[in-house]
Amino acid sequence: HVLGADGGEMQGFHAPSFLFGGRVLFDAGSLCQLSFEDILKVDHIFVSHTHVDHIKDLGLFADLLTGQREKPVVVYGTQTVIDGLRAHYFNNVIWPDFSRIPTPDAPVLELRVIEPMETVSLGDCEVLPVLVDHTIETTGFVLRWAGGSFVYIADTGPTEKIWEVANELADLKGVIVEV
């Protein structure tokens, strides 16, 4: 489900967000385009990098979820991404730190560091983060499930590793490349 695929935001054009299976989101530029019912179903958010068009709706999303879920939504990113979110977004200046609200033991969001080329298992699917070339550290993602695989590449220029990985996927169903 394409929620947005643009670097800017105006009527009819929304920042990058791609929802798979109702539960797994790649980038959070337009997450709040979903209905509240669908927002509650999102369990995992993979952030490619910290440019604002890829993280814009994380804070508003977290605010909507306060008191609405038992388990936190897990936000995945490289150490650079998680550090950037903590220092510049969820810093109690720009926006409250929803990784500690309503309590540190039961937060709305769990910010989790992932490593490039190390698979993250989500039960019925898995995600492989792969670094791509951009002006800041950026990750593309390979989503795999029993019926196939899909590649999402956020902002990038010429890059090699993600294509090497994609070429190994015999069950590749599609690719989204944001350039």
Side-chain angles (χ1 to χ4, degrees), residues 18-66:
F18 303 90
L19 183 64
F20 292 87
R23 302 178 27 245
V24 180
L25 186 80
F26 293 102
D27 284 330
S30 295
L31 174 52
C32 293
Q33 297 296 315
L34 291 170
S35 69
F36 185 66
E37 179 180 285
D38 288 337
I39 281 173
L40 291 174
K41 295 176 186 173
V42 175
D43 291 324
H44 308 278
I45 301 173
F46 288 83
V47 177
S48 64
H49 64 295
T50 54
H51 282 162
V52 74
D53 56 325
H54 295 262
I55 64 170
K56 178 181 71 68
D57 278 1
L58 273 177
L60 298 174
F61 168 78
D63 191 50
L64 289 169
L65 291 182
T66 303

Side-chain angles (χ1 to χ4, degrees), residues 106-128:
V108 172
L109 301 177
E110 176 187 336
L111 304 180
R112 188 177 297 174
V113 174
I114 56 174
E115 296 294 331
M117 301 307 295
E118 289 186 15
T119 300
V120 177
S121 178
L122 304 178
D124 60 346
C125 65
E126 60 186 28
V127 175
L128 177 69

Side-chain angles (χ1 to χ4, degrees), residues 134-145:
H134 188 34
T135 57
I136 64 171
E137 184 178 277
T138 302
T139 307
F141 300 101
V142 178
L143 175 69
R144 291 183 254 178
W145 66 96

